[in-house]
Amino acid sequence: MAAIYVFQCFLLLNFYSIIEGNSVVYNIDETDIPATYVGTISNSTNLKDLAGKDDFGNLKYTFLGTDSQILSLFKIDERTSRLETKGIVDRESVCEFTKICSLSLDIAVQSTRTSFFLKIPVTIYVNDLNDNAPVFDKPNITLSLSEASLVGTKVTIDGARDRDTSDAYSLQTYEVYPANTPFSIEFEKKLDGTSIVRLKVEKALDRETQRSYQLEIVAKDGGSPPQSGTLFANIIITDVNDNPPNFEKTQYNITVKEDINISSVIGTIKAVDLDEGDNGKVTYRLSSHQSDTILNLFSIDHLTGELRVSKKLSYAPGKKYQIIIEASDTADQPLTSQTRVIVVVEDVGNSAPVIVVNLLSGSNVAHITEYANKGTAVAHIAVNDDDTGDNGNVYCTMTSDYFELMLLGNKEYNVVVKQKLDRETIPNHQVTISCQDNGKPPFNVSSEFNIEIDDENDSPPKFSSIQYTETIFEGNKKGDVIVQVFAIDNDQGKNAEIYYFLDNEGSLIFSVDSVTGVVRAAIELDREQTPTITTKIFAIDQGTPSLTGTADIVVKILDLNDNSPKFKKEVFQMEVFENKESGIEIGQLFAQDLDGGDNAEIVFNLPTGTPIDLPFLVLPHGQITTNKVLDRETQPSYGFYVIAYDLGYPPRTSTASVVVTVKDMNDHRPEIKGPNYANNTFSISQSSKAGRIITTVVAYDKDKDKNSDLVFSILNTATYFSIDPKSGAIFLEKDIDVKPGTSFSLEIEVSDEGVYPQKSFLTLTVVVGTGEQTAASNTTNMVIVIVLVSLTIVASTIIIAVIIFLRRVDRNAKASKTKPDYYSGGTVIDPSVTVFSLPDDSILCSDKKKKKEVSFSIDDDQDHIGSLQLPTKTDHPFDKMFVDKDKRQGDDSHSIGSTSDSGRGNSDDETSRSPHSTGNRTQHKARQGKHSGNSDTVFSPRKISHSQPLLYSPSKMNEQHGSRPLKFHTDNPRNIFHFDQQENGPVIDCVV
């Protein structure tokens, strides 16, 4: 046996190793679609051969291991072996920083019937899709490079990152745009998908040639087409002191007369340094390496370069003064340049040239549009010199950055535009024309004039703010000011004259003064409809063509308490079991207020005037709880109003109705009412036969439904007797065959059908007598019945006579009294609604009920009647609380032959004893018997018990009252009443 066991183990191990080598490989693309098909394990392996045809259909497929990542990505059908994705398979999330993404999992294959088991290794390669573009950490950067940077200098910047890591779709190249810049890009890829990028200087930089470069560095991946990310680089070239001051002329030639005044400016020397800051600030001085004569005769302003005469000059034929002037910048290591100034002193006798300026605008000031092109003439210059020879040869110069002289001919020039003009930047230019003849000594003269730049409409209006945000309370008046906007235009005249207007939608809500920019409300605003209004306002100038500026106006509407709370239902139906402890929650009120803040905070309560003995509380948050134990048999339902008010100032309110039905609990035992025999003993004839009903057990239960359904049974063994379990009738099971005088004791049980039944018991004694005795007994019973009926008729006649008499007395007494308050017995639940208790069955208009009717007369004038706002809808919540006579009798009586008064409605005495009707009964005494054929009792307002609104029917009223004059004071068409002239008011006859 041991050898066989070893052999079996050997076979099993070999089989498992063979199966272990049966692996499956799938390739899928990364996807964001759940339930993407991966493969079917059974189709990808030789499982059918391994497990056998018979067992192949019994195989179950499950995952091995607890790798949460694998289980969150894939699912397998246990029966079909279909492998699918469970959710999103994002290659960059599951295989970050790897070029090849492979997921390994093990599938357990086992038979549900045999011992077959197989582990299949599955490898899933997730193919990369080009679903990620290279992304830079920042969209733009600013770099500073010195213009002294050598060619080959490299600056490292943060490169882009591409979450795709496969060779095909990862980051591949960087390019720089535009291509004609002195920069190139080098980069190295890192393992995490990012890269090290170096900006390389390929050409020498010169700040004076170009101060900055705007580059687009574009990173591209290997997709087709490739995806890309762009970095905007602002390269600022910083200055080094690599430029010395540069004089405008390499040599200045100046001629002065020998009688020139001391301190006179004989010329201005100007040098320009292309560097910036201190590197480009120029100062002037006379070179110290020249004769003392030059240093004593001349001086120069070190800032302006004005060359002056310091001492009296003397004329000598052919004599010239050569002055060396140095210009230096103010850098830490300043650079210096020199120029030569040749000063020739002329003998006095030569006349100076005369400059004639002719302004082409025809005024004292030259005008030219800012749109003027280069070369446009502004003024004409003519030079007059009456001298001859060199003394009459004149040449002129002008100093200006925006204008220059253009030679027209001998001694004539035009002043023309040198570069683009902008009135908003420099509205006025002052130019100086200098002319010098070639006399010996030469004369140098100058002339100045102003050039004003005329405006063109090239500047749009600009608002003081791109967005104006203001608030206003809803319920505003038309014309209320919202905001005043302001825009400026840098142009002049009509080009700067601004008018305001709103967009089409905004003009429906607001108006704007086109000149002042005051925006006003054109309508009354409602926060609940639109809490925030955004519109555009435009400023347009009057230029040709006109230009426009835009701004946003955001108006936030502040809330006013203009919405009352609104209940979600007009009627809240609730139920509660009787006998539950006080304080239990029976329901929740719900209301909504469209306002905001405190104006929308809702508090619930009972309205003023609610009866203090109402057994319910309304909590501030709308929960309704009991405040005492309820008894369904005392009152089966309640109706009352609730009020919701918000916390606004002043608060707003609304009301709703609540109907609470008290559900029955089996809290009453059956009450046995009969049969009523002395000592519970009765006799039967000896000749009684089987099947005869000998008596009936009469009982009822105050509970409801199953709790009031009764079952009758005999507990002890009774050979001769049986009882009907439903009716309580006791039958003879067989003929009486015992001697007279024999007695039987019957133990009767009466049980209800509640979950926990209540029971009552009765013991009856049955005595067997002779037939004659039974007959005599029946005769005696008949006599008793006749006597009782006669007494009842006599008593009823006396009562009716007394009622008629009392009604006449009351009517006569009422004529001398003031009009009573007919609503003093009502319970005011809402200031506009008085609710009265249900009329009993005695005033229901019915062909079956004619002997006993109740009338309710209202003698107040029309104003009083108008205050009684009865519901006009027949589906009022209290309508459902009406219980008709037949239904109440059915609920209260549960057995044949019941002698109980329950279910017949209130009797006259019961009506008069209502705790809320005594006062009203006194007030209405005078109206009893006033309506023919109507009540013996008075229906008066009282506390809600059944809470049934009065319903009226004009058709029924016409049937009962014929052509009596009618006058309605209620919208409810179902009243049956007439207008009584003597009572001066409507009198209710009955209720349908």
Side-chain angles (χ1 to χ4, degrees), residues 651-833:
R652 300 178 71 94
T653 65
S654 62
T655 58
S657 302
V658 176
V659 175
V660 181
T661 301
V662 182
K663 299 180 70 176
D664 185 53
M665 294 189 70
N666 195 13
D667 57 345
H668 289 85
R669 295 179 181 276
E671 295 184 21
I672 300 175
K673 295 295 185 179
N676 295 320
Y677 299 112
N679 297 323
N680 292 331
T681 302
F682 66 98
S683 63
I684 62 173
S685 173
Q686 185 184 17
S687 60
S688 298
K689 301 298 183 181
R692 178 185 173 186
I693 298 176
I694 61 173
T695 189
T696 299
V697 178
V698 178
Y700 81 98
D701 194 314
K702 293 182 180 180
D703 293 318
K704 190 179 179 183
D705 299 331
K706 284 292 185 180
N707 296 334
S708 65
D709 292 341
L710 303 181
V711 178
F712 301 85
S713 61
I714 299 175
L715 298 179
N716 58 334
T717 302
T719 305
Y720 290 91
F721 307 96
S722 65
I723 190 169
D724 187 295
K726 294 297 182 183
S727 68
I730 300 178
F731 297 86
L732 281 175
E733 281 290 318
K734 63 180 183 176
D735 297 342
I736 297 297
D737 56 3
V738 298
K739 296 177 180 181
T742 303
S743 63
F744 300 93
S745 178
L746 302 180
E747 299 293 334
I748 308 298
E749 178 189 85
V750 183
S751 173
D752 60 35
E753 295 190 31
V755 177
Y756 300 100
Q758 300 269 18
K759 300 178 181 180
S760 297
F761 302 92
L762 172 67
T763 301
L764 292 177
T765 301
V766 183
V767 179
V768 179
T770 63
E772 291 75 8
Q773 292 172 334
T774 303
S777 177
N778 292 338
T779 300
T780 301
N781 291 338
M782 180 62 69
V783 171
I784 293 172
V785 169
I786 292 172
V787 171
L788 291 174
V789 170
S790 300
L791 291 175
T792 301
I793 294 173
V794 172
S796 300
T797 303
I798 294 172
I799 291 172
I800 292 172
V802 171
I803 291 173
I804 293 173
F805 174 75
L806 291 176
R807 291 182 65 184
R808 288 179 179 175
V809 172
D810 288 344
R811 184 171 58 205
N812 295 333
K814 180 180 179 298
S816 60
K817 294 181 180 180
T818 58
K819 192 176 299 180
D821 183 5
Y822 298 113
Y823 305 104
S824 60
T827 297
V828 180
I829 292 188
D830 184 90
S832 63
V833 179

Side-chain angles (χ1 to χ4, degrees), residues 483-725:
V483 67
Q484 182 174 16
V485 299
F486 179 71
I488 58 173
D489 193 316
N490 291 328
D491 292 320
Q492 286 182 326
K494 285 286 185 180
N495 297 336
E497 187 176 326
I498 296 174
Y499 292 96
Y500 302 95
F501 66 95
L502 295 165
D503 63 11
N504 292 335
E505 293 183 1
S507 61
L508 300 177
I509 305 172
F510 306 107
S511 64
V512 61
D513 188 302
S514 61
V515 176
T516 65
V518 174
V519 179
R520 301 176 183 271
I523 61 174
E524 181 178 336
L525 302 175
D526 185 3
R527 187 201 67 85
E528 288 72 38
Q529 182 177 358
T530 310
T532 302
I533 302 174
T534 301
T535 186
K536 287 191 178 297
I537 188 166
F538 303 94
I540 184 170
D541 60 31
Q542 302 304 300
T544 304
S546 59
L547 299 178
T548 304
T550 307
D552 290 329
I553 297 178
V554 178
V555 180
K556 297 180 179 179
I557 314 301
L558 302 180
D559 186 48
L560 288 177
N561 194 18
D562 57 348
N563 288 279
S564 298
K566 185 177 181 181
F567 282 94
K568 289 192 176 179
K569 300 179 182 177
E570 293 183 3
V571 182
F572 290 85
Q573 300 280 356
M574 301 179 184
E575 294 181 341
V576 60
F577 278 100
E578 63 176 335
N579 301 330
K580 291 292 184 181
E581 67 276 8
S582 175
I584 66 169
E585 183 177 332
I586 65 171
Q588 174 73 45
L589 300 174
F590 296 97
Q592 182 182 12
D593 195 314
L594 296 178
D595 291 319
D598 288 344
N599 297 335
E601 291 293 326
I602 299 175
V603 177
F604 299 90
N605 205 342
L606 290 168
T608 303
T610 301
I612 60 174
D613 56 351
L614 183 71
F616 303 103
L617 295 177
V618 176
L619 302 184
H621 293 294
Q623 301 94 336
I624 296 182
T625 65
T626 60
N627 62 11
K628 71 177 184 179
V629 178
L630 304 178
D631 181 18
R632 187 200 67 82
E633 289 71 34
T634 301
Q635 187 161 337
S637 60
Y638 297 83
F640 55 93
Y641 289 102
V642 291
I643 187 170
Y645 60 91
D646 56 37
L647 299 182
Y649 182 81
R652 300 178 71 94
T653 65
S654 62
T655 58
S657 302
V658 176
V659 175
V660 181
T661 301
V662 182
K663 299 180 70 176
D664 185 53
M665 294 189 70
N666 195 13
D667 57 345
H668 289 85
R669 295 179 181 276
E671 295 184 21
I672 300 175
K673 295 295 185 179
N676 295 320
Y677 299 112
N679 297 323
N680 292 331
T681 302
F682 66 98
S683 63
I684 62 173
S685 173
Q686 185 184 17
S687 60
S688 298
K689 301 298 183 181
R692 178 185 173 186
I693 298 176
I694 61 173
T695 189
T696 299
V697 178
V698 178
Y700 81 98
D701 194 314
K702 293 182 180 180
D703 293 318
K704 190 179 179 183
D705 299 331
K706 284 292 185 180
N707 296 334
S708 65
D709 292 341
L710 303 181
V711 178
F712 301 85
S713 61
I714 299 175
L715 298 179
N716 58 334
T717 302
T719 305
Y720 290 91
F721 307 96
S722 65
I723 190 169
D724 187 295

Side-chain angles (χ1 to χ4, degrees), residues 361-478:
S361 58
S363 63
N364 295 330
V365 178
H367 290 271
I368 189 169
T369 175
E370 60 182 326
Y371 280 176
N373 294 323
K374 183 179 179 180
T376 301
V378 180
H380 178 268
I381 307 298
V383 182
N384 297 325
D385 193 331
D386 295 333
D387 294 330
T388 60
D390 289 339
N391 292 340
N393 293 330
V394 180
Y395 67 93
C396 299
T397 59
M398 185 182 72
T399 56
S400 174
D401 293 331
Y402 291 89
F403 299 93
E404 61 184 354
L405 285 175
M406 183 175 69
L407 181 62
L408 296 179
N410 185 30
K411 301 179 184 180
E412 286 190 71
Y413 300 87
N414 270 348
V415 178
V416 299
V417 176
K418 183 178 180 181
Q419 61 175 321
K420 180 175 175 56
L421 305 174
D422 184 13
R423 188 203 66 80
E424 287 74 33
T425 302
I426 305 176
N428 185 283
H429 296 263
Q430 186 179 45
V431 297
T432 301
I433 308 295
S434 296
C435 296
Q436 178 179 299
D437 62 21
N438 290 329
K440 294 182 180 181
F443 275 109
N444 189 304
V445 294
S446 62
S447 179
E448 294 182 350
F449 64 92
N450 289 328
I451 301 175
E452 289 188 359
I453 310 302
D454 293 337
D455 184 54
E456 296 289 347
N457 195 23
D458 58 348
S459 294
K462 185 176 182 181
F463 281 94
S464 59
S465 175
I466 61 173
Q467 177 175 299
Y468 298 87
T469 302
E470 296 294 334
T471 59
I472 186 172
F473 279 100
E474 62 178 333
N476 60 287
K477 295 181 180 179
K478 182 179 179 181

Side-chain angles (χ1 to χ4, degrees), residues 311-345:
K311 288 185 178 182
K312 184 71 176 177
L313 300 179
S314 60
Y315 167 75
K319 186 177 180 180
K320 297 178 180 180
Y321 297 96
Q322 294 189 22
I323 308 170
I324 304 299
I325 297 177
E326 293 181 345
S328 300
D329 57 37
T330 58
D332 293 335
Q333 296 180 350
L335 299 177
T336 302
S337 299
Q338 292 183 340
T339 188
R340 187 190 307 272
V341 178
I342 305 297
V343 178
V344 176
V345 179

Side-chain angles (χ1 to χ4, degrees), residues 193-416:
T194 62
S195 55
I196 299 174
V197 179
R198 297 182 179 88
L199 187 67
K200 183 179 180 181
V201 178
E202 295 288 350
K203 299 178 181 178
L205 304 177
D206 185 6
R207 189 202 64 83
E208 289 71 29
T209 302
Q210 187 164 346
R211 293 172 176 267
S212 63
Y213 297 87
Q214 281 69 44
L215 307 180
E216 291 184 15
I217 301 174
V218 180
K220 296 183 179 181
D221 61 22
S224 179
Q227 297 202 60
S228 63
T230 302
L231 173 67
F232 295 93
N234 181 26
I235 311 300
I236 297 175
I237 309 302
T238 59
D239 185 55
V240 294
N241 193 21
D242 59 344
N243 289 282
N246 185 25
F247 287 96
E248 290 182 342
K249 300 177 181 179
T250 58
Q251 178 174 307
Y252 290 83
N253 295 306
I254 299 175
T255 300
V256 297
K257 293 186 178 296
E258 63 178 342
D259 59 351
I260 190 171
N261 295 326
I262 296 174
S263 298
S264 296
V265 176
I266 62 174
T268 300
I269 311 303
K270 187 174 183 181
V272 177
D273 193 329
L274 297 178
D275 294 321
E276 63 182 3
D278 290 340
N279 296 338
K281 186 177 181 181
V282 178
T283 61
Y284 304 90
R285 65 176 181 270
L286 299 177
S287 174
S288 59
H289 302 289
Q290 53 189 331
S291 66
D292 293 336
T293 301
I294 297 297
L295 297 177
N296 291 329
L297 289 176
F298 302 96
S299 65
I300 191 170
D301 190 298
H302 74 285
L303 294 179
T304 64
E306 293 178 342
L307 185 63
R308 300 175 184 273
V309 176
S310 299
K311 288 185 178 182
K312 184 71 176 177
L313 300 179
S314 60
Y315 167 75
K319 186 177 180 180
K320 297 178 180 180
Y321 297 96
Q322 294 189 22
I323 308 170
I324 304 299
I325 297 177
E326 293 181 345
S328 300
D329 57 37
T330 58
D332 293 335
Q333 296 180 350
L335 299 177
T336 302
S337 299
Q338 292 183 340
T339 188
R340 187 190 307 272
V341 178
I342 305 297
V343 178
V344 176
V345 179
E346 259 186 346
D347 189 20
V348 175
N350 184 23
S351 60
V354 177
I355 300 175
V356 179
V357 178
N358 184 12
L359 303 181
L360 300 180
S361 58
S363 63
N364 295 330
V365 178
H367 290 271
I368 189 169
T369 175
E370 60 182 326
Y371 280 176
N373 294 323
K374 183 179 179 180
T376 301
V378 180
H380 178 268
I381 307 298
V383 182
N384 297 325
D385 193 331
D386 295 333
D387 294 330
T388 60
D390 289 339
N391 292 340
N393 293 330
V394 180
Y395 67 93
C396 299
T397 59
M398 185 182 72
T399 56
S400 174
D401 293 331
Y402 291 89
F403 299 93
E404 61 184 354
L405 285 175
M406 183 175 69
L407 181 62
L408 296 179
N410 185 30
K411 301 179 184 180
E412 286 190 71
Y413 300 87
N414 270 348
V415 178
V416 299

